[in-house]
Amino acid sequence: MSTRNNDVLRAVYTDLDGTDFSAGRELLSSAGFEVSYLDSLDAETIVAGADGASALLVGYAEITRSMIERMPSVKIIALMSMGFNHIDVDAATEHGIWVTTIVGAATEEVATHALAMALHLTRGITFSQQAVVFDRWNERDTLVQPRLSELTLGLMGLGRIGMKFAELARPLFGEIIGYDPFIPDTDETREHFAEAGVRRVDADAVRSQSDVLSLHLPLTNDTANMVDADFLSTMKPLSYLINVSRGGLVDSAALRASLDNSHLAGAGLDVLDVEPATAEHPLLGHPRALITPHIAYFSGRSEAEYVRLQAQNVVSWASTGTPDTPLVSLSAPSTSTH
């Protein structure tokens, strides 16, 4: 391991929202790190707490260019998620800082959650539950539930989670179609999708042909608010939208309008553009919106894996000069600090 002239390397956790990070702390400590926990989202607290630290382990805190420029000792920012839109990755790369994400720790959990939402919505579970609770046993919804085997499942994003969802859903849906702007169209990928039972289509087709459309894309400048009024208007009438990816993909006001006018039959959302959602959020409490609190990733196993893999990225960087799952590979890996 490379150290600072015999000084102990420092690793600083910013915030973990109550997650037990003891396994990560032990992993880092055993690799020679001095570990501290700030328990803060505040930029100034993080900058001050990171003074002299080589590794920053981040939960939900936003790490901006300004912060990065004031943390010259930091050489790796390790995230406890697949998402990275709260980090200025360009600024980090320019300053020679590795940024790492967690890959594959909750693939099964998120895909299962998406399937659960699809089943809940298409079977009208919320309405039926309320009918029982309020003594309306024989009441039927104005929207008649479809037969699942007659429906087309559409996937926007054909990475690990999207393809796991396809695997789980394949025996249930009549057809699965998918779109992904980031995966090249090669003989190998065509064979992969064919074997998985996914027919690859373009963006227009997946919107207009899907009875259930599930989002599995990262949040970038190109995908932010992509599900806007125009997008929703081209979706199949009385279709369902599922989002277990990033809340910023969806224009919440536009989705509310589409649910209000019954163009969409329902929406299942584990993520929102504002979290935690306030009482004024346009989708909160809507009878056609099934909302869970960004929990799709969670199981006992996945929580432990997120903590372990986040710390392991730092340990691998310290011991080899390269973390396990970097977003961008730096041309000159470094474990030295100032």
Side-chain angles (χ1 to χ4, degrees):
M1 179 193 300
S2 176
T3 59
R4 297 178 299 171
N5 300 322
N6 298 321
D7 289 344
V8 176
L9 287 170
R10 287 191 60 227
V12 174
Y13 283 92
T14 59
D15 65 296
L16 292 177
D17 196 26
T19 299
D20 180 5
F21 68 103
S22 57
R25 180 179 57 209
E26 291 172 9
L27 186 61
L28 290 162
S29 296
S30 66
F33 280 87
E34 174 189 288
V35 183
S36 57
Y37 179 44
L38 302 177
D39 192 19
S40 178
L41 297 170
D42 178 67
E44 296 306 317
T45 300
I46 292 171
V47 169
D51 183 34
S54 54
L56 200 64
L57 293 93
V58 178
Y60 297 100
E62 183 179 8
I63 307 299
T64 65
R65 177 178 290 274
S66 172
M67 294 170 68
I68 287 169
E69 290 172 348
R70 291 185 290 151
M71 297 186 292
S73 64
V74 172
K75 295 302 177 185
I76 180 169
I77 299 172
L79 307 183
M80 197 174 64
S81 65
M82 287 184 65
F84 53 87
N85 53 289
H86 54 313
I87 310 298
D88 192 326
V89 178
D90 290 339
T93 302
E94 290 170 19
H95 286 76
I97 300 172
W98 294 93
V99 179
T100 65
T101 59
I102 304 301
V103 177
T107 296
E108 180 178 340
E109 284 81 359
V110 178
T112 302
H113 200 88
L115 177 59
M117 284 187 147
L119 296 175
H120 188 112
L121 289 168
T122 56
R123 292 304 304 154
I125 300 298
T126 297
F127 181 92
S128 297
Q129 180 193 36
Q130 292 298 305
V132 172
V133 168
F134 293 105
D135 195 25
R136 301 194 298 263
W137 189 269
N138 293 317
E139 186 174 359
R140 298 292 180 265
D141 196 348
T142 54
L143 293 178
V144 178
Q145 281 72 53
R147 176 172 285 182
L148 207 62
S149 62
E150 296 176 349
L151 301 186
T152 295
L153 171 65
L155 305 170
M156 294 202 79
L158 297 170
R160 287 179 178 85
I161 294 172
M163 293 304 290
K164 184 63 178 180
F165 187 10
E167 176 190 334
L168 297 173
R170 186 177 182 181
L172 304 175
F173 284 82
E175 184 181 21
I176 301 178
I177 59 177
Y179 163 75
D180 195 310
F182 304 109
I183 297 177
D185 183 19
T186 64
D187 291 341
E188 183 180 0
T189 58
R190 284 193 290 271
E191 182 179 355
H192 173 59
F193 294 140
E195 290 176 350
V198 177
R199 180 167 62 89
R200 191 171 187 176
V201 298
D202 62 25
D204 291 339
V206 79
R207 286 200 305 267
S208 62
Q209 297 176 22
S210 298
D211 297 289
V212 177
L213 180 61
S214 189
L215 306 179
H216 301 279
L217 294 172
L219 181 59
T220 66
N221 290 335
D222 292 331
T223 62
N225 278 328
M226 62 176 287
V227 183
D228 57 12
D230 289 340
F231 183 109
L232 292 163
S233 69
T234 63
M235 286 180 63
K236 194 172 183 178
L238 298 181
S239 59
Y240 301 85
L241 178 72
I242 308 290
N243 186 14
V244 293
S245 295
R246 287 291 177 265
L249 299 174
V250 178
D251 181 331
S252 293
L255 178 55
R256 170 67 188 243
S258 188
L259 293 172
D260 283 345
N261 65 29
S262 296
H263 179 68
L264 258 61
L269 310 167
D270 183 58
V271 288
L272 294 172
D273 49 353
V274 177
E275 296 179 2
T278 65
E280 293 74 29
H281 194 279
L283 294 169
L284 206 64
H286 194 286
R288 301 291 181 190
L290 173 65
I291 300 174
T292 53
H294 206 145
I295 202 71
Y297 73 93
F298 183 77
S299 72
R301 175 62 64 85
S302 66
E303 183 176 47
E305 279 294 278
Y306 272 107
V307 170
R308 182 186 69 81
L309 292 171
Q310 180 187 33
Q312 185 59 55
N313 264 310
V314 175
V315 171
S316 295
W317 162 79
S319 60
T320 71
T322 305
D324 297 324
T325 53
L327 273 173
V328 179
S329 293
L330 302 182
S331 56
S334 173
T335 56
S336 64
T337 56
H338 298 287

